[in-house]
Amino acid sequence: MEFSSFLTSLGTSFIIFIILMLLFTWLSAKRGNAVVYYPNRILKGLEPWEGGLKTRNPLAWIREALSSTEQDVINMSGIDTAVYFVFLGTVLGILVLSGVVLLLVLLPTASTDDEVKKNAKSTTSKGTFNDLDKLSMANIEERSPRLWAFLIAVYWVSLVTYVLSWKAYKRVSALRANALMSPEVKPEQFAVLVRDLPDVTPGQTRKEQVDSYFKSIYPDTFYRSLVVTNNKKVDKIWAELEGYRKKLARTEAIYEESIRKGNSEGKRPTNKTGFLGLCGKQVDSIEYYNEKIKKMTQKLEAEQKVTLREKQLGAALVFFTDRVTAALAAQSLHAQMVDKWTVTDAPEPRQLIWTNLTIKFFVRIVRQYMVYILVFLTIVFYMIPIGFISAITTLENLRKLLPFLKPIVDQVQIKTVLEAYLPQLALIIFLALLPMFLLFLSKIEGIPSGSHVIRAASGKYFYFSVLNVFIGVTIGGTLFDTLKSVEEEPNSLVPLLAKSLPGNATFFITFVALKFFVGYGLELSRIVPLIIYHLRRKYLCKSEAEIREAWFPGDISYATRVPSDMLIITIVLCYSVIAPMIIPFGVLYFALGWLVLRNQALKVYVPSYESYGRMWPHMHTRIMGALLLYQVTMLGYFGVIQFYYTPILIPAPILSLLFYYVCRRKFYNAFCHTALEVASQELKETPNMELIFRSYIPPSLIPEKQEDEQFEGALSRVSRTGTFV
């Protein structure tokens, strides 16, 4: 890549970001777009624009993001989001403090040597990128005393990472403890999840088995149990009933709209009762859906009774009257055998994956290892499915598989376009589906909660990204450029790979710049969600529920966002000493990310769960993994360029492993369980145990009638937003 091309690509990315930011400033000021740019504030009953729209400065969002406090983030988006900003701030601090020394010391050290001029062929840039090569270790002569500066810099970056990540771990631990010590009642703090129940003795129900077992162990604080049932059929009926209710709301909205348009009596909507509404008897939609709802309600009530009586399974949620007992129970060994009476912390009600709760202990272990093997094969051999997809998407194979497409694909213009882009498009779609595939794999492991599934998928995606983007690009690009040299002299492979690192830095600098300029520009402008919302509202949405569904933003998507951030920190750390010019781009990525996502967290995204910072140990592990990869890379690079004092770097990865071990031993247990000193804090009022119990009942099992006593009188219809005190 020519230096002018490099500058052009950066300039283009910057211009795109400015355009997208101006679009955001203009579009977010329009009242009709408020639900796209301020949904979080609207859902909390706040005004979209602080201080009013008329007096609002176009760049006010920057001031609001910078002036917001950690408590503001917690109030709007929860502890998990606040922890994510601790991560962004920590990584930003690591890069800034590292960059202050590395840029001031290493750039002059590298630029004043002349190795590039002496041996231009040794650079992977092949003479086309000398301007940047002169600012990297490629410009340092082998065995030069100047390498001391770079060697010391490796330890400086490591030291900064140790200090700041330690402080961050302490900060996140305090955030988690403060949240769990809150005097507000949280249902999950009064419950435990019990799995791997033994077989029921004759003459005893599953509920009697669970109740008697826990009453004998916790006679004073045991409240009641909720046995998990096979809800497959009742869920299907409930979903069908909810579908008819949505259709009724839609038809009623259409009818009301016809009245508003001038017809006093209005035009009542009609539909056909046959397949997909295309055939069959023409009926009045409102009457038809009301009748369907009445029948489905009766069917649901009957199936609820059958489910609760006959479909009890081998798992349960057990409730206690105080937080300390629940925390103690979740940390205790209840049975001699590890595969019986497994008790863990209960997730939030909205997080539970009901179908996974009854998977047996050893089945979960087998599934976990099978998923690990499958993920490993996906990471290592991912080119196989990609090659398969590319093969079947050639025009010749499409003609064989889908003969009806022949008249279309044989047209010259269409044929030319498809031959050029179809395999690449298939590849892009496959890679875009990867996060969904990893979420699916994590779910089938038997994980009981949604947040845990996201943490597991995030880890898998991180390893895939590092191995196939970072290492794959480095090794693949070098082998492609130097294939002839390797064929002639196979022993030159390792030195060639090492010497290619400075040249590969230019690719990653462009990659990082594209990520923060274009990626965060699209994030801020929300162009795609805005277009989708207006199209759906104009052509598809009729009822208020449909309109709300069209603009509802979802959460911050940690499953893909965190691994992407981890990939950037891995790239920047690994090249920070080899090519220090990458550090400013890493700083810009995380600084801009902090600013844009601060705005999104305060105004846009709505959290779908709260795990009280449980993502942090996984973030810390990935940071340490990136640091370890950086240290091993530098150790190998210094060895290849034959610096005599390279062995001085050997303790660096050992220190990192030791530091990680100390952090895990000191902090990690408090993230797995709730400390008893935290759980023992007093509450404002005595908790309403009935409401806590009801909050865990699946929606499909909540009775339609308040007087129904299917759960021994405990299951009346309740509001999920009601207080628990």
Side-chain angles (χ1 to χ4, degrees):
M1 182 186 289
E2 297 288 346
F3 185 67
S4 59
S5 300
F6 171 72
L7 292 179
T8 301
S9 64
L10 290 183
T12 303
S13 300
F14 178 71
I15 291 170
I16 291 173
F17 175 75
I18 295 298
I19 292 171
L20 291 172
M21 190 174 71
L22 292 174
L23 272 175
F24 162 75
T25 303
W26 176 54
L27 293 171
S28 63
K30 296 183 177 297
R31 291 193 180 276
N33 298 334
V35 292
V36 176
Y37 293 101
Y38 305 97
N40 195 4
R41 292 181 60 84
I42 291 171
L43 289 171
K44 286 185 167 55
L46 302 173
E47 283 292 323
W49 300 276
E50 294 181 20
L53 178 59
K54 292 183 178 179
T55 59
R56 185 174 176 81
N57 188 304
L59 298 179
W61 69 274
I62 297 177
R63 174 183 54 78
E64 290 163 2
L66 292 174
S67 62
S68 64
T69 64
E70 188 172 68
Q71 191 59 47
D72 292 332
V73 174
I74 293 172
N75 293 340
M76 296 300 294
S77 293
I79 297 296
D80 287 329
T81 306
V83 168
Y84 178 64
F85 282 103
V86 172
F87 160 72
L88 290 179
T90 300
V91 173
L92 182 59
I94 290 170
L95 296 182
V96 169
L97 291 179
S98 300
V100 168
V101 173
L102 269 58
L103 292 173
L104 292 178
V105 175
L106 300 189
L107 286 185
T109 303
S111 62
T112 53
D113 210 342
D114 57 355
E115 179 66 8
V116 169
K117 289 183 179 179
K118 290 180 181 178
N119 190 10
K121 293 182 181 180
S122 68
T123 71
T124 58
S125 305
K126 296 183 176 62
T128 63
F129 223 108
N130 290 343
D131 290 325
L132 285 183
D133 278 348
K134 289 178 182 178
L135 301 177
S136 71
M137 288 184 73
N139 200 36
I140 303 295
E141 187 179 357
E142 291 185 359
R143 306 186 184 94
S144 169
R146 292 171 181 253
L147 292 173
W148 271 106
F150 294 87
L151 188 145
I152 295 170
V154 174
Y155 276 101
W156 169 250
V157 174
S158 302
L159 178 63
V160 169
T161 305
Y162 298 149
V163 172
L164 294 187
S165 61
W166 178 271
K167 288 184 176 180
Y169 224 138
K170 290 180 68 176
R171 178 61 191 149
V172 174
S173 296
L175 281 174
R176 176 175 168 81
N178 289 336
L180 294 175
M181 285 191 293
S182 168
E184 302 294 333
V185 175
K186 300 177 178 67
E188 62 272 14
Q189 291 186 303
F190 292 85
V192 294
L193 173 62
V194 186
R195 307 169 84 179
D196 309 308
L197 301 182
D199 294 336
V200 180
T201 56
Q204 187 183 40
T205 66
R206 181 69 78 183
K207 183 171 177 57
E208 289 171 345
Q209 176 199 34
V210 176
D211 287 356
S212 62
Y213 183 83
F214 281 93
K215 277 180 182 177
S216 65
I217 301 175
Y218 308 98
D220 299 325
T221 53
F222 171 77
Y223 177 65
R224 69 187 304 164
S225 65
L226 175 63
V227 177
V228 176
T229 53
N230 183 349
N231 299 337
K232 185 175 181 180
K233 187 173 180 181
V234 75
D235 282 345
K236 184 178 179 181
I237 296 171
W238 180 80
E240 194 173 347
L241 174 60
E242 289 298 302
Y244 282 125
R245 284 173 173 159
K246 288 181 179 179
K247 289 177 180 178
L248 176 62
R250 179 182 176 86
T251 54
E252 287 177 340
I254 293 171
Y255 179 56
E256 290 173 3
E257 185 180 359
S258 70
I259 295 175
R260 288 196 304 270
K261 288 184 176 179
N263 189 343
S264 59
E265 295 184 359
K267 182 180 179 182
R268 292 181 70 85
T270 60
N271 66 280
K272 293 181 179 180
T273 58
F275 179 71
L276 296 177
L278 300 175
C279 57
K281 184 181 177 182
Q282 192 90 6
V283 295
D284 182 288
S285 296
I286 295 176
E287 293 178 0
Y288 175 74
Y289 292 135
N290 274 317
E291 185 63 28
K292 280 288 186 181
I293 289 170
K294 184 179 178 180
K295 290 181 180 179
M296 293 303 299
T297 300
Q298 294 172 352
K299 188 177 179 181
L300 177 65
E301 290 172 353
E303 183 58 34
Q304 285 175 339
K305 293 175 182 178
V306 172
T307 300
L308 295 170
R309 186 173 59 249
E310 302 175 4
K311 298 183 179 181
Q312 296 181 354
L313 301 175
L317 288 153
V318 175
F319 300 87
F320 301 95
T321 55
D322 68 74
R323 298 192 293 188
V324 174
T325 306
L328 187 63
Q331 303 174 43
S332 303
L333 182 67
H334 285 77
Q336 282 286 106
M337 298 294 106
V338 70
D339 61 334
K340 303 295 182 187
W341 297 101
T342 306
V343 182
T344 57
D345 291 298
E348 283 183 308
R350 58 183 172 174
Q351 288 193 51
L352 278 169
I353 304 174
W354 293 95
T355 54
N356 282 358
L357 302 187
T358 56
I359 300 174
K360 293 295 184 180
F361 181 82
F362 289 111
V363 176
R364 295 198 299 269
I365 292 177
V366 171
R367 285 190 180 201
Q368 189 177 51
Y369 282 106
M370 288 179 66
V371 167
Y372 288 168
I373 293 170
L374 187 56
V375 170
F376 173 78
L377 294 175
T378 302
I379 291 173
V380 176
F381 301 108
Y382 82 106
M383 284 307 297
I384 295 175
I386 290 175
F388 174 75
I389 290 172
S390 298
I392 66 171
T393 52
T394 60
L395 289 185
E396 191 61 34
N397 286 329
L398 280 179
R399 286 192 189 93
K400 293 177 182 178
L401 296 172
L402 304 170
F404 61 88
L405 290 179
K406 283 184 179 180
I408 300 174
V409 299
D410 286 340
Q411 294 184 30
V412 178
Q413 296 85 349
I414 296 177
K415 182 179 179 180
T416 304
V417 173
L418 290 179
E419 284 179 338
Y421 295 110
L422 190 59
Q424 290 83 346
L425 184 61
L427 172 60
I428 291 170
I429 293 172
F430 176 81
L431 294 177
L433 293 175
L434 180 64
M436 296 171 59
F437 176 63
L438 296 179
L439 282 168
F440 168 75
L441 289 181
S442 299
K443 187 175 179 180
I444 64 174
E445 287 183 43
I447 294 171
S449 71
S451 64
H452 192 175
V453 165
I454 287 174
R455 294 196 296 273
S458 174
K460 297 175 179 68
Y461 196 44
F462 167 74
Y463 295 123
F464 184 93
S465 299
V466 169
L467 288 169
N468 287 312
V469 177
F470 173 60
I471 296 177
V473 167
T474 301
I475 295 176
T478 303
L479 289 178
F480 182 78
D481 290 338
T482 59
L483 191 57
K484 288 186 178 179
S485 301
V486 173
E487 287 177 355
E488 294 171 0
E489 193 177 348
N491 293 333
S492 66
L493 177 60
V494 174
L496 282 172
L497 287 174
K499 291 179 180 180
S500 73
L501 289 175
N504 282 327
T506 57
F507 168 83
F508 286 114
I509 288 174
T510 308
F511 176 78
V512 174
L514 190 67
K515 289 278 285 184
F516 68 73
F517 277 140
V518 179
Y520 284 127
L522 289 171
E523 172 67 53
L524 180 66
S525 65
R526 289 181 61 77
I527 292 294
V528 176
L530 181 71
I531 293 171
I532 292 173
Y533 163 67
H534 282 293
L535 287 175
R536 289 182 65 180
R537 176 161 187 177
K538 184 174 179 63
Y539 298 108
L540 299 176
C541 299
K542 297 297 181 183
S543 67
E544 288 298 322
E546 289 175 333
I547 293 173
R548 184 183 183 279
E549 186 180 336
W551 59 255
F552 192 79
D555 61 16
I556 208 164
S557 302
Y558 295 110
T560 53
R561 192 175 298 281
V562 172
S564 296
D565 294 339
M566 291 298 179
L567 174 62
I568 298 300
I569 187 59
T570 302
I571 291 170
V572 176
L573 279 181
C574 287
Y575 282 95
S576 60
V577 172
I578 294 173
M581 276 301 296
I582 201 172
I583 295 177
F585 293 91
V587 170
L588 277 172
Y589 175 87
F590 286 102
L592 196 59
W594 188 97
L595 186 66
V596 171
L597 292 174
R598 193 80 162 192
N599 177 80
Q600 308 300 76
L602 292 170
K603 298 166 185 175
V604 179
Y605 292 122
V606 178
S608 59
Y609 65 84
E610 179 60 81
S611 68
Y612 305 104
R614 279 195 166 184
M615 178 67 89
W616 172 256
H618 298 261
M619 292 174 170
H620 183 264
T621 298
R622 312 293 180 252
I623 293 173
M624 289 298 103
L627 182 68
L628 194 63
L629 181 60
Y630 152 71
Q631 292 167 336
V632 171
T633 300
M634 294 311 303
L635 182 62
Y637 186 76
F638 273 100
V640 168
I641 61 176
Q642 303 176 31
F643 186 52
Y644 293 124
Y645 301 98
T646 298
I648 294 176
L649 286 178
I650 292 176
I654 298 172
L655 286 173
S656 293
L657 291 172
L658 181 62
F659 174 78
Y660 173 70
Y661 174 78
V662 171
C663 286
R664 193 170 182 86
R665 296 291 295 176
K666 181 176 177 66
F667 299 110
Y668 185 69
N669 283 342
F671 286 84
C672 292
H673 304 290
T674 302
L676 297 184
E677 66 176 1
V678 171
S680 63
Q681 299 299 311
E682 292 185 4
L683 296 168
K684 284 181 179 179
E685 298 179 40
T686 303
N688 187 328
M689 293 305 302
E690 285 301 308
L691 285 179
I692 290 173
F693 174 78
R694 294 170 192 169
S695 68
Y696 275 94
I697 297 169
S700 60
L701 291 180
I702 297 176
E704 294 293 315
K705 300 176 183 178
Q706 281 198 332
E707 62 271 15
D708 202 315
E709 297 184 356
Q710 295 178 46
F711 282 99
E712 302 172 356
L715 282 188
S716 60
R717 178 178 287 277
V718 297
S719 169
R720 295 301 175 93
T721 59
T723 178
F724 293 97
V725 296

